[in-house]
Amino acid sequence: MTLRPFNINDAPTILSWCKDKHAFRLWSADRYKEFPAQPEEMIEQYNGNNMYPLTAVVGKEIIGHILLRFPSEDKSVIRFGFVIVDDSKRGNGYGKQMLQLAILKAKQDFGAQKITLGVFDNNPSALHCYETVGFVVTGTDTYVIDGEEWSGKEMELVLTSRNSEVSSAQ
């Protein structure tokens, strides 16, 4: 697997993995107004100098997507978002591998010292995947998604040289 820069031609494939509105909201929270989203809307989400959307590929096949962004000016923290793996490929370790590559990129290419992300409580497989690569829960939050209250976890991974060695060895 490799991570390469996202481009608009990836969008139809990535968006097709959200088979229903619930899956779409697990992936995007309230960042898109309507389901289904259009490819142009993905590009709009990534406007700005602090956004680094990536596509995970095996060979030429798109199997995942992740956004790295800097939420602060000092660039010591990277936030992961829009994390998704092709639903037909889940359970094969691709999510873990994609996260490990993104962690390595955050540390080596951007010099991040910490990575944060949010995950909804009604997405236990994603929570487990994040914990598997070393993220820990640091807090909870509540969001209103399509008029319903959803609870979630805030997670972080503090980067050390050990994280880098583990990620590159797998």
PDB file of all heavy atoms in Angstrom, residues 48-72:
ATOM      1  N   GLY A  48      -7.370  25.283   1.186  1.00  0.00           N
ATOM      2  CA  GLY A  48      -6.556  25.841   2.267  1.00  0.00           C
ATOM      3  C   GLY A  48      -5.159  25.252   2.258  1.00  0.00           C
ATOM      4  O   GLY A  48      -4.933  24.145   1.781  1.00  0.00           O
ATOM      5  N   ASN A  49      -4.238  26.014   2.795  1.00  0.00           N
ATOM      6  CA  ASN A  49      -2.838  25.598   2.811  1.00  0.00           C
ATOM      7  C   ASN A  49      -2.531  24.551   3.862  1.00  0.00           C
ATOM      8  O   ASN A  49      -1.450  23.985   3.866  1.00  0.00           O
ATOM      9  CB  ASN A  49      -1.936  26.820   3.043  1.00  0.00           C
ATOM     10  CG  ASN A  49      -1.994  27.791   1.893  1.00  0.00           C
ATOM     11  OD1 ASN A  49      -2.244  27.392   0.763  1.00  0.00           O
ATOM     12  ND2 ASN A  49      -1.776  29.057   2.176  1.00  0.00           N
ATOM     13  N   ASN A  50      -3.471  24.303   4.770  1.00  0.00           N
ATOM     14  CA  ASN A  50      -3.181  23.376   5.868  1.00  0.00           C
ATOM     15  C   ASN A  50      -3.836  22.012   5.658  1.00  0.00           C
ATOM     16  O   ASN A  50      -3.951  21.236   6.586  1.00  0.00           O
ATOM     17  CB  ASN A  50      -3.633  23.987   7.195  1.00  0.00           C
ATOM     18  CG  ASN A  50      -5.143  24.170   7.254  1.00  0.00           C
ATOM     19  OD1 ASN A  50      -5.814  24.232   6.250  1.00  0.00           O
ATOM     20  ND2 ASN A  50      -5.657  24.283   8.462  1.00  0.00           N
ATOM     21  N   MET A  51      -4.256  21.697   4.441  1.00  0.00           N
ATOM     22  CA  MET A  51      -4.973  20.459   4.139  1.00  0.00           C
ATOM     23  C   MET A  51      -4.139  19.546   3.233  1.00  0.00           C
ATOM     24  O   MET A  51      -3.625  19.993   2.212  1.00  0.00           O
ATOM     25  CB  MET A  51      -6.286  20.765   3.415  1.00  0.00           C
ATOM     26  CG  MET A  51      -7.188  21.700   4.149  1.00  0.00           C
ATOM     27  SD  MET A  51      -8.049  20.821   5.444  1.00  0.00           S
ATOM     28  CE  MET A  51      -9.303  22.007   5.846  1.00  0.00           C
ATOM     29  N   TYR A  52      -4.038  18.280   3.621  1.00  0.00           N
ATOM     30  CA  TYR A  52      -3.278  17.303   2.842  1.00  0.00           C
ATOM     31  C   TYR A  52      -4.103  16.021   2.697  1.00  0.00           C
ATOM     32  O   TYR A  52      -3.912  15.062   3.435  1.00  0.00           O
ATOM     33  CB  TYR A  52      -1.925  17.014   3.500  1.00  0.00           C
ATOM     34  CG  TYR A  52      -1.082  18.254   3.573  1.00  0.00           C
ATOM     35  CD1 TYR A  52      -1.121  19.073   4.692  1.00  0.00           C
ATOM     36  CD2 TYR A  52      -0.299  18.648   2.492  1.00  0.00           C
ATOM     37  CE1 TYR A  52      -0.387  20.249   4.749  1.00  0.00           C
ATOM     38  CE2 TYR A  52       0.438  19.825   2.541  1.00  0.00           C
ATOM     39  CZ  TYR A  52       0.388  20.608   3.667  1.00  0.00           C
ATOM     40  OH  TYR A  52       1.108  21.782   3.722  1.00  0.00           O
ATOM     41  N   PRO A  53      -5.040  16.006   1.731  1.00  0.00           N
ATOM     42  CA  PRO A  53      -5.832  14.796   1.516  1.00  0.00           C
ATOM     43  C   PRO A  53      -5.013  13.750   0.761  1.00  0.00           C
ATOM     44  O   PRO A  53      -4.298  14.073  -0.190  1.00  0.00           O
ATOM     45  CB  PRO A  53      -7.015  15.294   0.685  1.00  0.00           C
ATOM     46  CG  PRO A  53      -6.504  16.500  -0.023  1.00  0.00           C
ATOM     47  CD  PRO A  53      -5.453  17.110   0.871  1.00  0.00           C
ATOM     48  N   LEU A  54      -5.120  12.512   1.217  1.00  0.00           N
ATOM     49  CA  LEU A  54      -4.342  11.425   0.642  1.00  0.00           C
ATOM     50  C   LEU A  54      -5.257  10.268   0.260  1.00  0.00           C
ATOM     51  O   LEU A  54      -6.278  10.021   0.908  1.00  0.00           O
ATOM     52  CB  LEU A  54      -3.297  10.938   1.646  1.00  0.00           C
ATOM     53  CG  LEU A  54      -2.306  11.986   2.134  1.00  0.00           C
ATOM     54  CD1 LEU A  54      -1.511  11.457   3.320  1.00  0.00           C
ATOM     55  CD2 LEU A  54      -1.378  12.414   0.999  1.00  0.00           C
ATOM     56  N   THR A  55      -4.858   9.558  -0.763  1.00  0.00           N
ATOM     57  CA  THR A  55      -5.568   8.369  -1.220  1.00  0.00           C
ATOM     58  C   THR A  55      -4.649   7.175  -1.026  1.00  0.00           C
ATOM     59  O   THR A  55      -3.474   7.223  -1.410  1.00  0.00           O
ATOM     60  CB  THR A  55      -5.968   8.513  -2.701  1.00  0.00           C
ATOM     61  OG1 THR A  55      -6.839   9.656  -2.815  1.00  0.00           O
ATOM     62  CG2 THR A  55      -6.681   7.288  -3.215  1.00  0.00           C
ATOM     63  N   ALA A  56      -5.189   6.117  -0.426  1.00  0.00           N
ATOM     64  CA  ALA A  56      -4.428   4.875  -0.233  1.00  0.00           C
ATOM     65  C   ALA A  56      -4.709   3.963  -1.415  1.00  0.00           C
ATOM     66  O   ALA A  56      -5.868   3.740  -1.780  1.00  0.00           O
ATOM     67  CB  ALA A  56      -4.836   4.199   1.066  1.00  0.00           C
ATOM     68  N   VAL A  57      -3.642   3.441  -2.009  1.00  0.00           N
ATOM     69  CA  VAL A  57      -3.787   2.554  -3.157  1.00  0.00           C
ATOM     70  C   VAL A  57      -2.950   1.289  -2.954  1.00  0.00           C
ATOM     71  O   VAL A  57      -1.900   1.312  -2.313  1.00  0.00           O
ATOM     72  CB  VAL A  57      -3.379   3.247  -4.482  1.00  0.00           C
ATOM     73  CG1 VAL A  57      -4.328   4.380  -4.832  1.00  0.00           C
ATOM     74  CG2 VAL A  57      -1.955   3.762  -4.439  1.00  0.00           C
ATOM     75  N   VAL A  58      -3.480   0.221  -3.498  1.00  0.00           N
ATOM     76  CA  VAL A  58      -2.743  -1.035  -3.596  1.00  0.00           C
ATOM     77  C   VAL A  58      -2.660  -1.298  -5.090  1.00  0.00           C
ATOM     78  O   VAL A  58      -3.688  -1.523  -5.746  1.00  0.00           O
ATOM     79  CB  VAL A  58      -3.448  -2.179  -2.845  1.00  0.00           C
ATOM     80  CG1 VAL A  58      -2.746  -3.501  -3.126  1.00  0.00           C
ATOM     81  CG2 VAL A  58      -3.493  -1.909  -1.351  1.00  0.00           C
ATOM     82  N   GLY A  59      -1.438  -1.230  -5.616  1.00  0.00           N
ATOM     83  CA  GLY A  59      -1.294  -1.249  -7.066  1.00  0.00           C
ATOM     84  C   GLY A  59      -1.922   0.031  -7.599  1.00  0.00           C
ATOM     85  O   GLY A  59      -1.564   1.127  -7.191  1.00  0.00           O
ATOM     86  N   LYS A  60      -2.932  -0.127  -8.463  1.00  0.00           N
ATOM     87  CA  LYS A  60      -3.655   1.041  -8.971  1.00  0.00           C
ATOM     88  C   LYS A  60      -5.049   1.154  -8.361  1.00  0.00           C
ATOM     89  O   LYS A  60      -5.796   2.068  -8.683  1.00  0.00           O
ATOM     90  CB  LYS A  60      -3.758   0.973 -10.496  1.00  0.00           C
ATOM     91  CG  LYS A  60      -2.421   1.116 -11.180  1.00  0.00           C
ATOM     92  CD  LYS A  60      -2.558   1.163 -12.677  1.00  0.00           C
ATOM     93  CE  LYS A  60      -1.191   1.342 -13.309  1.00  0.00           C
ATOM     94  NZ  LYS A  60      -1.243   1.551 -14.741  1.00  0.00           N
ATOM     95  N   GLU A  61      -5.384   0.219  -7.471  1.00  0.00           N
ATOM     96  CA  GLU A  61      -6.725   0.199  -6.891  1.00  0.00           C
ATOM     97  C   GLU A  61      -6.810   1.109  -5.668  1.00  0.00           C
ATOM     98  O   GLU A  61      -6.011   1.004  -4.730  1.00  0.00           O
ATOM     99  CB  GLU A  61      -7.098  -1.229  -6.493  1.00  0.00           C
ATOM    100  CG  GLU A  61      -8.506  -1.349  -5.970  1.00  0.00           C
ATOM    101  CD  GLU A  61      -8.871  -2.777  -5.587  1.00  0.00           C
ATOM    102  OE1 GLU A  61      -7.978  -3.650  -5.518  1.00  0.00           O
ATOM    103  OE2 GLU A  61     -10.067  -2.999  -5.355  1.00  0.00           O
ATOM    104  N   ILE A  62      -7.796   1.988  -5.666  1.00  0.00           N
ATOM    105  CA  ILE A  62      -8.047   2.874  -4.533  1.00  0.00           C
ATOM    106  C   ILE A  62      -8.727   2.054  -3.445  1.00  0.00           C
ATOM    107  O   ILE A  62      -9.766   1.436  -3.678  1.00  0.00           O
ATOM    108  CB  ILE A  62      -8.957   4.042  -4.951  1.00  0.00           C
ATOM    109  CG1 ILE A  62      -8.281   4.891  -6.035  1.00  0.00           C
ATOM    110  CG2 ILE A  62      -9.318   4.894  -3.742  1.00  0.00           C
ATOM    111  CD1 ILE A  62      -9.203   5.924  -6.654  1.00  0.00           C
ATOM    112  N   ILE A  63      -8.127   2.034  -2.257  1.00  0.00           N
ATOM    113  CA  ILE A  63      -8.721   1.257  -1.170  1.00  0.00           C
ATOM    114  C   ILE A  63      -8.978   2.096   0.094  1.00  0.00           C
ATOM    115  O   ILE A  63      -9.611   1.612   1.026  1.00  0.00           O
ATOM    116  CB  ILE A  63      -7.879   0.000  -0.820  1.00  0.00           C
ATOM    117  CG1 ILE A  63      -6.448   0.358  -0.415  1.00  0.00           C
ATOM    118  CG2 ILE A  63      -7.844  -0.963  -1.986  1.00  0.00           C
ATOM    119  CD1 ILE A  63      -6.303   0.452   1.050  1.00  0.00           C
ATOM    120  N   GLY A  64      -8.496   3.341   0.142  1.00  0.00           N
ATOM    121  CA  GLY A  64      -8.716   4.157   1.318  1.00  0.00           C
ATOM    122  C   GLY A  64      -8.460   5.632   1.068  1.00  0.00           C
ATOM    123  O   GLY A  64      -7.954   6.021   0.012  1.00  0.00           O
ATOM    124  N   HIS A  65      -8.815   6.413   2.081  1.00  0.00           N
ATOM    125  CA  HIS A  65      -8.665   7.863   1.994  1.00  0.00           C
ATOM    126  C   HIS A  65      -8.493   8.418   3.406  1.00  0.00           C
ATOM    127  O   HIS A  65      -9.096   7.907   4.361  1.00  0.00           O
ATOM    128  CB  HIS A  65      -9.917   8.469   1.345  1.00  0.00           C
ATOM    129  CG  HIS A  65      -9.918   9.962   1.289  1.00  0.00           C
ATOM    130  ND1 HIS A  65      -9.067  10.672   0.479  1.00  0.00           N
ATOM    131  CD2 HIS A  65     -10.657  10.878   1.956  1.00  0.00           C
ATOM    132  CE1 HIS A  65      -9.300  11.973   0.638  1.00  0.00           C
ATOM    133  NE2 HIS A  65     -10.259  12.115   1.533  1.00  0.00           N
ATOM    134  N   ILE A  66      -7.679   9.449   3.531  1.00  0.00           N
ATOM    135  CA  ILE A  66      -7.456  10.107   4.819  1.00  0.00           C
ATOM    136  C   ILE A  66      -7.030  11.549   4.565  1.00  0.00           C
ATOM    137  O   ILE A  66      -6.331  11.835   3.592  1.00  0.00           O
ATOM    138  CB  ILE A  66      -6.394   9.350   5.663  1.00  0.00           C
ATOM    139  CG1 ILE A  66      -6.315   9.888   7.078  1.00  0.00           C
ATOM    140  CG2 ILE A  66      -5.041   9.335   4.961  1.00  0.00           C
ATOM    141  CD1 ILE A  66      -5.487   9.017   8.027  1.00  0.00           C
ATOM    142  N   LEU A  67      -7.451  12.432   5.446  1.00  0.00           N
ATOM    143  CA  LEU A  67      -7.050  13.827   5.388  1.00  0.00           C
ATOM    144  C   LEU A  67      -6.129  14.125   6.565  1.00  0.00           C
ATOM    145  O   LEU A  67      -6.439  13.759   7.705  1.00  0.00           O
ATOM    146  CB  LEU A  67      -8.277  14.746   5.474  1.00  0.00           C
ATOM    147  CG  LEU A  67      -7.970  16.239   5.638  1.00  0.00           C
ATOM    148  CD1 LEU A  67      -7.342  16.813   4.375  1.00  0.00           C
ATOM    149  CD2 LEU A  67      -9.236  17.012   5.992  1.00  0.00           C
ATOM    150  N   LEU A  68      -5.011  14.774   6.283  1.00  0.00           N
ATOM    151  CA  LEU A  68      -4.131  15.303   7.315  1.00  0.00           C
ATOM    152  C   LEU A  68      -4.264  16.814   7.244  1.00  0.00           C
ATOM    153  O   LEU A  68      -4.182  17.389   6.153  1.00  0.00           O
ATOM    154  CB  LEU A  68      -2.674  14.923   7.071  1.00  0.00           C
ATOM    155  CG  LEU A  68      -2.225  13.504   7.409  1.00  0.00           C
ATOM    156  CD1 LEU A  68      -2.954  12.465   6.607  1.00  0.00           C
ATOM    157  CD2 LEU A  68      -0.734  13.364   7.217  1.00  0.00           C
ATOM    158  N   ARG A  69      -4.497  17.440   8.376  1.00  0.00           N
ATOM    159  CA  ARG A  69      -4.557  18.904   8.379  1.00  0.00           C
ATOM    160  C   ARG A  69      -3.926  19.443   9.648  1.00  0.00           C
ATOM    161  O   ARG A  69      -3.883  18.767  10.670  1.00  0.00           O
ATOM    162  CB  ARG A  69      -5.982  19.410   8.213  1.00  0.00           C
ATOM    163  CG  ARG A  69      -6.876  19.218   9.395  1.00  0.00           C
ATOM    164  CD  ARG A  69      -8.263  19.842   9.137  1.00  0.00           C
ATOM    165  NE  ARG A  69      -9.160  19.549  10.219  1.00  0.00           N
ATOM    166  CZ  ARG A  69      -9.325  20.297  11.297  1.00  0.00           C
ATOM    167  NH1 ARG A  69      -8.636  21.421  11.436  1.00  0.00           N
ATOM    168  NH2 ARG A  69     -10.158  19.939  12.249  1.00  0.00           N
ATOM    169  N   PHE A  70      -3.437  20.668   9.528  1.00  0.00           N
ATOM    170  CA  PHE A  70      -2.850  21.356  10.670  1.00  0.00           C
ATOM    171  C   PHE A  70      -3.906  22.257  11.285  1.00  0.00           C
ATOM    172  O   PHE A  70      -4.271  23.257  10.691  1.00  0.00           O
ATOM    173  CB  PHE A  70      -1.655  22.219  10.245  1.00  0.00           C
ATOM    174  CG  PHE A  70      -0.472  21.440   9.770  1.00  0.00           C
ATOM    175  CD1 PHE A  70      -0.121  21.440   8.437  1.00  0.00           C
ATOM    176  CD2 PHE A  70       0.295  20.717  10.662  1.00  0.00           C
ATOM    177  CE1 PHE A  70       0.984  20.731   7.996  1.00  0.00           C
ATOM    178  CE2 PHE A  70       1.402  20.004  10.236  1.00  0.00           C
ATOM    179  CZ  PHE A  70       1.732  20.012   8.900  1.00  0.00           C
ATOM    180  N   PRO A  71      -4.384  21.928  12.484  1.00  0.00           N
ATOM    181  CA  PRO A  71      -5.381  22.803  13.115  1.00  0.00           C
ATOM    182  C   PRO A  71      -4.767  24.009  13.825  1.00  0.00           C
ATOM    183  O   PRO A  71      -5.477  24.932  14.183  1.00  0.00           O
ATOM    184  CB  PRO A  71      -6.073  21.877  14.123  1.00  0.00           C
ATOM    185  CG  PRO A  71      -5.054  20.841  14.446  1.00  0.00           C
ATOM    186  CD  PRO A  71      -4.204  20.695  13.212  1.00  0.00           C
ATOM    187  N   SER A  72      -3.449  23.990  14.017  1.00  0.00           N
ATOM    188  CA  SER A  72      -2.802  25.104  14.717  1.00  0.00           C
ATOM    189  C   SER A  72      -1.677  25.669  13.861  1.00  0.00           C
ATOM    190  O   SER A  72      -1.146  25.004  12.981  1.00  0.00           O
ATOM    191  CB  SER A  72      -2.244  24.630  16.064  1.00  0.00           C
ATOM    192  OG  SER A  72      -1.242  23.665  15.861  1.00  0.00           O
TER     193      SER A  72
END
